[in-house]
Amino acid sequence: MKKVKKAFALMLALVLAFSLAACGGSSSSEEGTTAAAESDGNQTYKIGICQLVQHEALDAATQGFKDVVTEKLGDAVTFDEQNAQGDSNTCSTIVNGFVSDRVDLILANATPALQAAAAGTNEIPILGTSVTEYGVALEIDDFDGTVGGNISGTSDLAPLEDQAKMLNELFPDAKNVGLLYCSAEANSQYQVDEVKKALEGMGYTCKLYAFSDSNDLSSVATSAANESDVIYVPTDNTVAANTGIIENICLPAKVPVIAGEEGICAGCGVATLSISYYDLGCATGEMAVKVLQGEDISTMPVEYAPNFTKKYDADRCAELGITIPDDYEAIEK
């Protein structure tokens, strides 16, 4: 009898021990889950934004980016937004500061900003925007649409052949086309080369007018206006920041300008086949949220603007006596 009681007591002790262990394990698990949830809920992110220069297109891209990221992440994200004032060396300084601050992601707005970010870090995720051709900007041979490593982003590349067709539609009797661009911007060189091929295939005589920076823009633009029936300017950051110089030369000379994007067209052009830079920034913001939430940036292909719109500057067209087809939209100012 005593042996039975002892055995029963031992079994009871074992049951109690396992019960306590199970309760303890359950408690630890719940605490761990709660801690993880609190950690996720308290996750904060810092994004460094390096924008090459202040002008309408880049400003719109930055705003679209910030609006989407803020909508998705709310108070969990803060931005360190800096403008390089058109200086590529300043882009490098800004990026180095972001690297020192260990930001969680870098938005590089425009090609020189992307190039500076790529040179500054191979660890922090980098998203470019307002970049025309990533293969050209980053010197990637046989670019297949995905940069790899820590870089991806969005492209503002418009259909260059269609821009050439627009010029032909509006100015079929023109003979000489000047292509005005900043030689310091690799993507500008790419655009004018492609447009030149398309225009020459249509029978135009084309000449490149390259300026190195804003200091020689006036003299080069004057030469282009004197020697051209029409001028084409690509999506070019230096041009975008100095449209007043081009307008003051080309408008009195009665030489129309076809522009690569809407902001430049509003400043000095007559017509453009353009994208929405705000929408482009929004798309980049969607990508940023995915990266911050764990998606592998190295597998994310560069995204392109889905829509393009024919637009014109009504006042400038009226002054130059240019008749615009019905399928063009007037640029709002």
Side-chain angles (χ1 to χ4, degrees), residues 40-55:
D40 290 343
N42 292 331
Q43 179 69 55
T44 59
Y45 308 97
K46 186 173 183 179
I47 296 176
I49 299 176
C50 178
Q51 181 173 317
L52 174 64
V53 68
Q54 184 175 3
H55 68 69

Side-chain angles (χ1 to χ4, degrees), residues 72-329:
K72 300 287 187 180
L73 300 178
D75 294 337
V77 64
T78 58
F79 302 99
D80 183 356
E81 184 177 348
Q82 299 190 41
N83 194 297
Q85 303 301 323
D87 188 343
S88 58
N89 291 326
T90 303
C91 287
S92 298
T93 302
I94 292 171
V95 168
N96 290 337
F98 292 159
V99 173
S100 296
D101 290 344
R102 298 181 180 179
V103 299
D104 297 291
L105 183 142
I106 295 173
L107 173 69
N109 192 346
T111 298
L114 176 66
Q115 291 169 331
T121 178
N122 59 6
E123 296 180 355
I124 297 174
I126 299 167
L127 289 174
T129 192
S130 312
V131 176
T132 304
E133 173 58 49
Y134 281 72
V136 173
L138 300 175
E139 299 181 347
I140 302 172
D141 294 331
D142 301 322
F143 178 61
D144 63 359
T146 301
V147 177
N150 63 322
I151 300 174
S152 189
T154 57
S155 167
D156 62 359
L157 180 64
L160 298 175
E161 186 172 345
D162 289 344
Q163 288 187 349
K165 289 178 181 177
M166 168 182 281
L167 188 150
N168 179 248
E169 177 183 38
L170 297 177
F171 307 106
D173 298 326
K175 298 184 182 302
N176 300 306
V177 178
L179 298 108
L180 180 66
Y181 69 103
C182 180
S183 58
E185 298 190 32
N187 277 319
S188 295
Q189 182 73 60
Y190 170 80
Q191 291 174 81
V192 296
D193 286 344
E194 293 299 310
V195 170
K196 182 173 181 287
K197 292 177 189 176
L199 290 173
E200 288 178 340
M202 299 173 188
Y204 292 97
T205 298
C206 299
K207 183 176 178 179
L208 300 179
Y209 293 89
F211 59 91
S212 58
D213 55 37
S214 58
N215 294 322
D216 62 343
L217 172 57
S218 180
S219 61
V220 175
T222 299
S223 297
N226 289 337
E227 301 169 3
S228 307
D229 301 315
V230 184
I231 289 175
Y232 171 83
V233 292
T235 302
D236 183 294
N237 294 294
T238 308
V239 167
N242 296 277
T243 54
I245 294 175
I246 297 173
E247 180 179 41
N248 291 337
I249 293 168
C250 293
L251 194 59
K254 303 298 183 183
V255 178
V257 175
I258 296 294
E261 60 93 10
E262 182 176 339
I264 294 175
C265 187
C268 66
V270 296
T272 183
L273 181 65
S274 189
I275 67 170
S276 166
Y277 277 81
Y278 180 82
D279 290 346
L280 193 70
C282 289
T284 318
E286 296 281 359
M287 296 176 75
V289 172
K290 293 177 182 178
V291 171
L292 292 173
Q293 293 180 340
E295 188 164 327
D296 184 3
I297 192 171
S298 70
T299 64
M300 298 174 72
V302 170
E303 297 185 11
Y304 294 81
N307 300 310
F308 305 92
T309 306
K310 290 181 176 181
K311 293 196 172 185
Y312 72 102
D313 185 281
D315 294 337
R316 213 167 281 120
C317 286
E319 184 168 346
L320 295 175
I322 299 170
T323 301
I324 296 295
D326 292 338
D327 59 339
Y328 285 65
E329 294 181 10

